[in-house]
Amino acid sequence: MAVVMVASIGNFFGACTSYYLDLGAGYMEKYLRINQSELEKAEKYFSKYGSYVLLFTWVPLIGDAITVTGGLLRLKFTIFAFLVFVGKFLRYLAVAYLAGIVLL
């Protein structure tokens, strides 16, 4: 269980960093490799599903765009933090279970 918590917390802090990046899309494209179309997709998901889309920040490729979009949309950080951590935790719990790591 410690492995799951450490992985979840580390990935969560990375998402928090993305949340607080309130910089122009040029910076994100150059350094984070998040292009404008990914941000537009993430914004569309937010408008359709609301904050619950944050549960899927663990998904490769679009996960970073979702966290950046959460910051750009100025979502309340407590809601952001709760949903992102739950999503990341469930991901690593599933990975540990599938990998056969004993969860004590």
Side-chain angles (χ1 to χ4, degrees):
M1 188 57 125
V3 172
V4 172
M5 286 304 293
V6 168
S8 299
I9 291 169
N11 204 322
F12 168 73
F13 284 141
C16 290
T17 303
S18 298
Y19 173 87
Y20 282 110
L21 282 177
D22 196 357
L23 304 169
Y27 178 84
M28 288 184 271
E29 288 174 358
K30 184 175 180 182
Y31 295 106
L32 298 180
R33 295 192 172 115
I34 299 172
N35 62 39
Q36 192 63 34
S37 67
E38 287 176 329
L39 286 173
E40 289 169 2
K41 254 192 244 181
E43 203 166 338
K44 186 174 103 179
Y45 289 131
F46 269 100
S47 64
K48 186 173 182 179
Y49 301 109
S51 298
Y52 294 105
V53 75
L54 292 167
L55 291 169
F56 297 97
T57 57
W58 58 267
V59 176
L61 301 177
I62 195 163
D64 290 333
I66 292 171
T67 56
V68 169
T69 304
L72 292 173
L73 294 176
R74 306 258 195 265
L75 293 177
K76 202 171 181 185
F77 184 74
T78 53
I79 294 169
F80 171 89
F82 177 76
L83 292 173
V84 169
F85 186 80
V86 167
K88 305 268 186 200
F89 178 78
L90 292 175
R91 173 196 186 182
Y92 289 113
L93 191 64
V95 167
Y97 177 76
L98 293 173
I101 295 174
V102 178
L103 301 172
L104 299 174

